[in-house]
C-alpha cells in the first residue's frame, strides 16, 4: 500500500525508530545510554489500533546528547517532517516531570543502551484531559484508549484516571474542566459497543470544529488573532446549540 509521504504510519513506525537507533549508535556508539519517552499521538500509534498515522513523535530525552542531527538524518531517509521527533510538548500544559516515572518499556536497541518508552493507558488519558483541545483528537483519543483497553481485558476506571492525574499534576482540578471529568467518567462506564459509537461521533465533531476554525481564520483573520481558539469554539458550540 502506498502512503502519503511525510507521515509516520503504523506499518513503518518501528522501522523509523530502528533507523534512529542505528544513527544514534553510529554517532555516539554505545557509550552514552539514553531513554526516549514517547507520549501523545506517537504513543497511541505504537500502543493502540485506532490511529493510522501521526505527523510527529512528542518525546522526552533522558540524555544530554543532542539528537537534532540524528532526527534530520532520519527525516531525509524517510521523507518525514524535519521535526518528526521533538520535545516541544515540554512547553505545553500537559507536560509533567513525573512522566518518566510512569512510562513503560517499549523497545531496546544498541544492546540495551537506547531504550524507547511510552506513556499509555490512564496516564495518557490524564495528559489528554489536561490538553483537551476540541479541535484536535484529544477527546476521541481518550475514548479510543478506553475502548482498546477494555477490548484487551484491561478496563480503565475513573479511579485509575483520578490517581494518574494526581500523580502527574499538582492541581488537576484547577486545570481540567469539571464538565470534562463528568464526561470521561461516563465513558469509563460504557461498554465496547457504546464506546465505539461515541468514538466516531466525537471524531466527526472534532473534524467539524477544526473545519469551522479554518473557515473562520480564512474569512476573519483579525478575529482569530484577537480571540483564543477556545473562545471561538465556545461561540461555535452556542451557535450549534451543543
Amino acid at each position: 500500500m502506498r502512503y502519503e509521504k511525510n507521515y509516520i504510519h503504523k506499518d513503518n513506525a518501528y522501522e523509523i525508530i530502528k533507523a534512529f537507533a542505528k544513527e544514534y549508535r553510529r554517532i555516539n556508539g554505545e557509550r552514552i545510554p539514553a531513554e526516549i519517552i514517547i507520549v501523545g499521538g506517537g504513543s497511541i500509534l505504537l500502543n493502540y489500533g485506532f490511529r493510522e498515522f501521526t505527523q510527529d513523535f512528542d518525546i522526552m530525552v533522558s540524555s544530554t546528547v543532542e539528537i537534532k542531527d540524528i532526527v534530520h538524518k532520519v527525516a531525509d531517509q524517510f521523507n518525514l517532517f524535519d521535526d518528526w521527533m521533538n520535545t516541544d510538548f515540554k512547553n505545553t500544559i500537559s507536560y509533567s516531570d513525573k512522566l518518566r516515572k510512569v512510562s513503560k518499556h517499549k523497545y531496546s536497541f544498541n544492546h540495551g543502551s537506547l531504550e524507547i518508552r511510552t506513556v499509555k493507558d490512564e496516564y495518557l488519558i490524564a495528559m489528554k484531559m489536561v490538553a483537551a483541545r476540541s479541535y484536535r483528537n484529544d477527546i476521541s483519543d481518550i475514548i479510543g484508549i478506553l475502548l482498546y483497553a477494555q477490548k484487551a481485558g484491561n478496563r480503565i476506571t475513573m479511579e485509575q484516571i483520578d490517581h494518574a492525574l494526581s500523580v502527574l499534576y499538582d492541581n488537576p482540578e484547577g486545570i481540567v474542566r469539571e464538565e470534562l471529568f463528568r464526561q470521561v467518567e461516563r465513558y469509563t462506564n460504557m461498554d465496547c459497543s457504546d464506546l465505539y459509537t461515541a468514538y466516531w461521533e466525537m471524531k466527526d465533531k472534532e473534524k467539524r470544529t477544526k473545519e469551522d476554525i479554518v473557515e473562520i481564520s480564512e474569512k476573519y483573520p483579525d478575529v482569530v488573532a484577537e480571540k483564543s481558539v477556545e473562545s471561538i469554539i465556545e461561540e461555535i458550540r452556542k451557535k450549534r446549540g451543543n
Side-chain angles (χ1 to χ4, degrees):
M1 183 177 292
R2 186 183 181 116
Y3 287 121
E4 180 182 357
K5 293 182 179 180
N6 294 334
Y7 286 86
I8 305 165
H9 291 267
K10 285 196 297 185
D11 65 345
N12 69 4
Y14 179 78
E15 290 303 314
I16 290 170
I17 295 171
K18 186 177 178 181
F20 173 88
K22 182 178 180 180
E23 186 65 15
Y24 185 94
R25 183 174 63 181
R26 188 184 70 80
I27 292 177
N28 300 304
E30 295 176 359
R31 298 172 293 100
I32 306 175
E35 290 177 345
I36 304 291
I37 302 168
I38 302 174
V39 302
S43 178
I44 289 173
L45 184 74
L46 295 173
N47 290 303
Y48 305 97
F50 62 91
R51 179 69 67 85
E52 292 293 329
F53 61 88
T54 186
Q55 178 174 315
D56 58 10
F57 284 159
D58 295 319
I59 66 162
M60 296 171 61
V61 187
S62 65
S63 173
T64 57
V65 172
E66 180 57 62
I67 65 170
K68 283 186 178 179
D69 289 344
I70 302 173
V71 170
H72 289 162
K73 181 72 178 289
V74 176
D76 290 341
Q77 182 179 344
F78 289 88
N79 197 25
L80 303 171
F81 291 97
D82 285 341
D83 61 348
W84 69 270
M85 181 182 280
N86 66 79
T87 60
D88 293 348
F89 98 99
K90 290 186 71 174
N91 299 318
T92 70
I93 191 173
S94 61
Y95 172 77
S96 167
D97 58 8
K98 313 292 195 313
L99 289 168
R100 164 63 184 86
K101 182 174 70 173
V102 303
S103 64
K104 301 292 184 182
H105 170 81
K106 188 66 178 177
Y107 307 118
S108 287
F109 297 98
N110 305 342
H111 297 98
S113 63
L114 178 64
E115 182 180 11
I116 306 297
R117 302 175 67 85
T118 61
V119 174
K120 55 186 291 192
D121 294 344
E122 64 267 30
Y123 293 100
L124 188 51
I125 289 175
M127 294 182 70
K128 291 288 182 176
M129 288 177 70
V130 170
R133 295 157 295 185
S134 304
Y135 55 98
R136 298 292 292 271
N137 298 312
D138 292 325
I139 308 303
S140 61
D141 282 345
I142 290 172
I143 303 171
I145 294 168
L146 291 170
L147 172 59
Y148 274 80
Q150 189 177 144
K151 288 172 67 176
N154 179 34
R155 187 170 193 142
I156 299 171
T157 67
M158 195 64 207
E159 288 73 22
Q160 289 174 292
I161 296 170
D162 281 336
H163 176 70
L165 283 163
S166 66
V167 168
L168 294 179
Y169 305 104
D170 294 331
N171 180 30
E173 292 82 4
I175 53 178
V176 178
R177 303 189 313 273
E178 183 178 349
E179 172 194 351
L180 183 56
F181 274 108
R182 295 194 299 268
Q183 185 179 3
V184 172
E185 185 170 22
R186 290 196 300 273
Y187 293 142
T188 61
N189 292 321
M190 290 181 179
D191 60 21
C192 286
S193 61
D194 288 337
L195 282 170
Y196 183 84
T197 300
Y199 174 78
W200 286 109
E201 288 177 348
M202 184 56 65
K203 287 290 289 184
D204 181 63
K205 186 176 181 180
E206 290 167 341
K207 179 175 179 289
R208 287 185 291 118
T209 299
K210 186 173 182 178
E211 289 171 349
D212 286 340
I213 292 172
V214 170
E215 182 180 353
I216 291 171
S217 65
E218 289 175 350
K219 288 184 177 179
Y220 311 106
D222 293 338
V223 172
V224 175
E226 292 173 2
K227 295 186 177 183
S228 71
V229 171
E230 286 302 326
S231 67
I232 294 172
I233 291 170
E234 188 61 31
E235 291 183 14
I236 293 170
R237 284 175 179 159
K238 289 177 180 177
K239 183 178 179 180
R240 287 179 176 160
N242 57 17

